[in-house]
Amino acid sequence: MASTDEQRRTTREPDATGRPRIPLAGVLTAAGAGAVLRAVGVSLPVVEGGSPGFTSAPMLIVLAALPAAVAFGLAAAGRRVIAAGVLAGMAALVPGSVVLDLQFVVDASLAARPELYLPRTVASPPPAAGFWLLLAGHLAIGIAGALAVRVIRRRPELDDGLPEAGRRRWLPLAVSIAVVASVGLLMAPFSSEDLYLLGRGAFESSTAPLFGSLLLACALPLAAAVGVSSGVTGLARGVLFGLAIGVAGHALPVAVSWQLPGLRGSAGPVLALVAALALVALGSVRFAAEESPDRSGDTAEAGEARLPGLGRLQFATGVLGLLTAAAAIAGALADQLVATEPFTAPESPARTSLLVAGVLFGVLALGMFVPGLAARVRPALSVAWAGVLLTGTAVLDTGVAATGIQNNLVQLGRGVLWVSMALVGAALTACCSVVAGMVEREDGGHGPDGAAPGTAGASLTAPLVAAAILAVGAFGTPVAVAPDYTAPGLWSNLGTPSIGLLAGLLTVLGAAALAPRSRPPRAAALLLGAACVLGLRAAELPLAGSGMPGASAGTGLWIAVAGVLALLLAAGIALVGNRERR
């Protein structure tokens, strides 16, 4: 018993530097194990009989050990909160890294990872010991980051008081830099003249690189936003450092591989590395808001007006939304494929759906520029982005299928680029909108537990449960059926459109879960946005059915229509309840 009390005092009392001790022994152990596993994994072949295109082992070993080494060094220097933040930032990128590496299991011949394996044949060798060690190392880093976050959450006295003004000053900048890094990781790593090494962007790649790149692109701004808005200065700094190390770990090996014959550099890795340096620079500056001597007597409101706050975030969300809408419309109107005469390139039947989704998204984005309307429109915009992803991936499927044609008769058109930009823009708009919602939530006087007075409450339970069940059926069953046509799905016939289906389903389910905890006007807007996404799913037959000979309504159409009605009913209940409460 005495030894237990002594241990507790050891973890709570300040150390020699005056900072509180944090129990990070288990966290650092997991991080060290992850570093060793990843270092050994990159030193061994990741596929049987395979080898890297250049001597990359020293660089990869340093990158594998860097997160744990930085965390150990910071912890030894007494900066344990920052050390925990470094591991938390790295852990945010683990899911994307794992999915990217799964390409060695799916089809190693399509992996654009010359630092680990340079294909010399179209055959796909099975994974070797190096791959499994690398995968185990990723998981160990993820566990270390999760444990680090748990330690900080269970020790509220570690909050070193990042002022709200400091959060407001750095939050938009941190998210913007992370967005730049996301764009860099989604771009093509290089251009290649090697027939066995294809340099494709995320949206031109196979399923594993596409999913992995999207996970990385979404995790970067979200992790930056959560870290900076946490209120713990050390955690904010550490998360930015961890994200920078993770981005460099993905971009630097690609940039070094440009030395290989037949490879030429591209802007993507350079953009990602510049963003990584910017994250390090931002994490090194002083976060606290400084007051000038001549304004020491100013009120809090005056100081708040000088900081980038909700208005600027709403404006940025509107700009991103308009750019996304323009890219979606351009992608719907431009050619996805260009064929050599006298051949005619096929057109995607989902182009009209993407056009409608782009126009709808643009209308909502315009509302972000109206001060009195922006806060009401923002929840709908936070959900409607999934409509662009739903229809955009269906259009992009035509271009992705054409990449497997080994001739010069059909080439990708400009529409593929525009649609890819629209998909990235939609995800970035959603991230910016979510950050604006976080600031808006703080301004709305919500309590520390996240609950707000006057929420929509349990009155929405019945229609939302029905809408959630119907959404699963709507996205999981075909909306249109036709002879000799098998629609992409969530459970079978997986393809590029399956990503849009999954994003649409998760977004609708998330809106249904958040609506009862939101204020009635925000809940109604959230549900209307979800109804738009489900409506686009239901409109697949009338909008895209003309491109499917013999198309008829599938079961999913009627389920989607019923889901739209359930969401509209829930939105109406929220608005009526708000009026009665007033």
Side-chain angles (χ1 to χ4, degrees):
M1 185 69 179
S3 60
T4 303
D5 292 339
E6 184 178 353
Q7 276 185 337
R8 290 177 179 173
R9 286 195 302 269
T10 301
T11 58
R12 291 181 181 178
E13 294 176 357
D15 58 14
T17 63
R19 301 183 182 90
R21 293 183 180 273
I22 308 174
L24 286 182
V27 176
L28 295 177
T29 300
V36 172
L37 289 170
R38 296 205 306 169
V40 176
V42 297
S43 303
L44 299 176
V46 293
V47 295
E48 293 185 3
S51 61
F54 58 97
T55 307
S56 59
M59 174 189 62
L60 295 179
I61 290 174
V62 171
L63 291 174
L66 187 58
V70 171
F72 273 99
L74 289 170
R79 302 280 186 173
R80 299 194 171 195
V81 182
I82 303 180
V86 170
L87 298 177
M90 280 293 299
L93 304 183
V94 164
S97 301
V98 169
V99 176
L100 279 175
D101 289 344
L102 287 179
Q103 182 62 40
F104 292 114
V105 176
V106 178
D107 189 350
S109 65
L110 297 179
R113 305 284 295 278
E115 74 278 8
L116 293 174
Y117 171 58
L118 183 64
R120 297 297 185 186
T121 175
V122 294
S124 178
F131 168 79
W132 301 112
L133 291 173
L134 185 60
L135 189 64
H138 289 324
L139 296 179
I141 292 294
I143 292 173
L147 291 176
V149 173
R150 184 181 179 184
V151 166
I152 294 178
R153 290 184 62 183
R154 294 180 64 181
R155 299 292 302 276
E157 67 271 18
L158 299 177
D159 189 338
D160 41 7
L162 175 59
E164 182 179 358
R167 297 199 301 271
R168 292 290 185 82
R169 170 173 294 178
W170 300 116
L171 181 59
L173 184 57
V175 173
S176 300
I177 296 174
V179 165
V180 173
S182 299
V183 174
L185 294 179
L186 289 171
M187 296 174 65
F190 43 73
S191 58
S192 174
E193 298 176 357
D194 190 335
L195 295 178
Y196 299 113
L197 183 61
L198 304 178
R200 297 172 176 170
F203 295 103
E204 302 172 1
S205 302
S206 53
T207 303
L210 176 57
F211 271 106
S213 298
L214 286 176
L215 285 175
L216 289 175
C218 293
L220 276 166
L222 288 178
V226 172
V228 174
S229 62
S230 65
V232 183
T233 306
L235 179 63
R237 293 179 185 275
V239 167
L240 295 180
F241 292 149
L243 292 177
I245 294 172
V247 171
H250 285 281
L252 186 59
V254 174
V256 176
S257 69
W258 294 346
Q259 62 179 304
L260 293 175
L263 296 189
R264 289 180 296 176
S266 67
V270 175
L271 199 62
L273 289 173
V274 171
L277 293 175
L279 288 174
V280 172
L282 182 61
S284 302
V285 300
R286 187 167 182 260
F287 272 66
E290 298 179 357
E291 296 182 2
S292 56
D294 58 336
R295 293 202 177 258
S296 58
D298 288 352
T299 62
E301 290 78 4
E304 186 72 18
R306 296 193 302 269
L307 299 171
L310 183 59
R312 294 188 182 182
L313 284 172
Q314 290 173 342
F315 181 81
T317 302
V319 171
L320 284 173
L322 286 181
L323 293 175
T324 299
I329 294 172
L333 299 178
D335 294 329
Q336 299 295 310
L337 298 175
V338 178
T340 305
E341 295 183 356
F343 299 97
T344 302
E347 294 183 358
S348 172
R351 295 174 65 179
T352 307
S353 299
L354 178 60
L355 180 63
V356 173
V359 172
L360 176 63
F361 200 72
V363 171
L364 292 175
L366 286 174
M368 298 300 297
F369 298 101
V370 182
L373 189 62
R376 297 179 180 272
V377 172
R378 185 203 54 77
L381 191 67
S382 300
V383 177
W385 75 279
V388 177
L389 204 64
L390 175 67
T391 57
T393 51
V395 173
L396 198 63
D397 187 49
T398 303
V400 172
T403 58
I405 301 176
Q406 301 297 327
N407 56 54
N408 295 325
L409 299 179
V410 179
Q411 298 179 353
L412 298 180
R414 291 176 296 177
V416 172
L417 176 61
W418 286 115
V419 175
S420 301
M421 293 175 61
L423 298 182
V424 176
L428 299 182
T429 304
C431 292
C432 191
S433 181
V434 168
V435 174
M438 294 167 60
V439 177
E440 178 185 317
R441 192 175 184 85
E442 292 179 359
D443 288 345
H446 295 261
D449 61 345
T455 56
S459 60
L460 305 181
T461 302
L464 288 182
V465 169
I469 296 174
L470 292 170
V472 175
F475 289 103
T477 56
V479 170
V481 294
D484 301 325
Y485 171 73
T486 303
L490 286 175
W491 332 116
S492 61
N493 194 31
L494 298 178
T496 305
S498 301
I499 300 173
L501 294 174
L502 181 61
L505 174 60
L506 294 179
T507 303
V508 172
L509 294 179
L514 290 175
R517 289 178 54 83
S518 304
R519 286 170 287 180
R522 307 295 190 269
L526 201 66
L527 296 174
L528 288 176
C532 290
V533 175
L534 206 52
L536 286 171
R537 173 63 173 165
E540 178 181 327
L541 178 62
L543 294 178
S546 59
M548 306 176 189
S552 59
T555 307
L557 173 62
W558 310 114
I559 298 177
V561 171
V564 171
L565 294 177
L567 290 171
L568 293 177
L569 175 62
I573 292 175
L575 291 177
V576 171
N578 184 50
R579 291 178 181 177
E580 291 179 352
R581 190 177 292 111
R582 286 182 177 180

